[in-house]
């Protein structure tokens, strides 16, 4: 059984769902579910997404084990502009944070987390802290006077850690997709 099949089977069993129940819920045959779990076939992206949703799995964790054929969405002006702005801001921040020789030896996940957490131009950390503070005030009936207390700052620590881990995984997966797209384009050029 391959890693993807193993993950799907474990998640299904954790949810206490039979292959037949899962198949009915997503509109495919029980036989197909068995083949996926045994590693004899891989689901396409649409089916895999349905299975992941039904079993409440993390897409990025599962996607790394799947041999997915994902087409890049056609670029649109606003998205390209936003991507360029994020890239420029991240590069400026990296220039100030690391010496050129040090960057080669950094763990990619830690480097991305550091940029996302500390870069003020991106504003990720500031916005996340503000959202957490507002929610803390609502939950505990604390007046939101705009001053972030230690309690409101630390209350969502686990959530913030998971958020940054998910964001880094999404970025790394996007890098892999873009590398695959570049490889395919280069092959077509020759």
């Amino acid at each position: 059984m391959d890693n993807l099949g193993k993950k799907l089977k474990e998640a299904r069993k954790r949810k206490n769902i039979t292959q037949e129940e899962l198949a009915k819920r997503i509109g495919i045959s029980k036989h197909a579910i068995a083949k996926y779990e045994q590693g004899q076939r891989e689901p396409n992206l649409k089916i895999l997404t349905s299975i992941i949703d039904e079993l409440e799995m993390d897409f990025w964790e599962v996607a790394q084990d799947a041999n997915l054929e994902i087409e890049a969405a056609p670029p649109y002006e606003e998205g390209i502009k936003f991507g360029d702005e994020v890239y420029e801001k991240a590069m400026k921040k990296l220039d100030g944070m690391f010496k050129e020789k040090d960057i080669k030896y950094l763990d990619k996940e830690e480097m991305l987390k550091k940029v996302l957490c500390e870069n003020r131009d991106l504003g990720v950390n500031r916005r996340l802290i503000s959202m957490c503070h507002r929610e803390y005030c609502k939950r505990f009936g604390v007046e939101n006077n705009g001053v972030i207390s230690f309690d409101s700052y630390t209350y969502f620590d686990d959530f913030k850690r998971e958020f940054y881990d998910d964001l880094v995984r999404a970025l790394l997966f996007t890098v892999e997709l873009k590398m695959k797209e570049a490889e395919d384009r280069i092959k077509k050029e020759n």
Side-chain angles (χ1 to χ4, degrees), residues 13-134:
K13 289 192 176 238
R14 266 195 313 274
K15 296 288 285 178
N16 231 1
I17 300 173
T18 66
Q19 288 179 342
E20 191 170 348
E21 289 173 304
L22 179 59
K24 280 182 185 176
R25 290 181 187 183
I26 62 173
I28 62 174
S29 71
K30 173 188 169 188
H31 181 72
I33 297 289
K35 293 283 186 188
Y36 301 149
E37 289 183 357
Q38 293 165 4
Q40 295 176 0
R41 275 185 22 200
E42 282 201 7
N44 64 33
L45 182 59
K46 182 179 179 186
I47 292 173
L48 181 61
T49 304
S50 296
I51 293 171
I52 289 170
D53 288 346
E54 195 62 44
L55 299 177
E56 298 176 357
M57 299 172 76
D58 179 346
F59 176 83
W60 301 110
E61 210 171 287
V62 175
Q64 64 191 351
D65 295 318
N67 186 18
L68 297 175
E69 292 291 324
I70 302 175
E71 291 182 27
Y76 60 100
E77 194 172 317
E78 186 179 314
I80 292 171
K81 184 179 175 191
F82 175 74
D84 290 344
E85 288 174 12
V86 169
Y87 175 79
E88 285 177 31
K89 290 175 181 180
M91 290 293 93
K92 284 180 187 174
K93 184 64 176 177
L94 282 174
D95 286 344
M97 289 169 57
F98 308 111
K99 295 178 185 159
E100 193 170 312
K101 63 179 181 161
D102 296 336
I103 202 164
K104 295 178 197 171
Y105 305 105
L106 288 175
D107 175 74
K108 61 188 173 195
E109 285 89 359
E110 288 305 311
M111 180 182 66
L112 285 171
K113 272 188 207 171
K114 191 168 181 67
V115 169
L116 291 167
C117 287
E118 294 181 17
N119 187 299
R120 291 183 181 186
D121 289 339
L122 290 173
V124 174
N125 199 45
R126 181 185 72 246
R127 289 166 47 200
L128 186 60
I129 289 170
S130 178
M131 284 186 283
C132 290
H133 176 69
R134 283 193 308 271

Side-chain angles (χ1 to χ4, degrees), residues 113-163:
K113 272 188 207 171
K114 191 168 181 67
V115 169
L116 291 167
C117 287
E118 294 181 17
N119 187 299
R120 291 183 181 186
D121 289 339
L122 290 173
V124 174
N125 199 45
R126 181 185 72 246
R127 289 166 47 200
L128 186 60
I129 289 170
S130 178
M131 284 186 283
C132 290
H133 176 69
R134 283 193 308 271
E135 182 58 29
Y136 178 87
C137 291
K138 272 193 232 173
R139 284 187 188 184
F140 296 103
V142 176
E143 183 182 339
N144 186 355
N145 58 6
V147 177
I148 310 247
S149 69
F150 179 76
D151 289 337
S152 72
Y153 183 80
T154 58
Y155 185 77
F156 290 98
D157 277 353
D158 289 340
F159 168 78
K160 288 187 280 191
R161 262 190 300 280
E162 288 174 17
F163 172 82

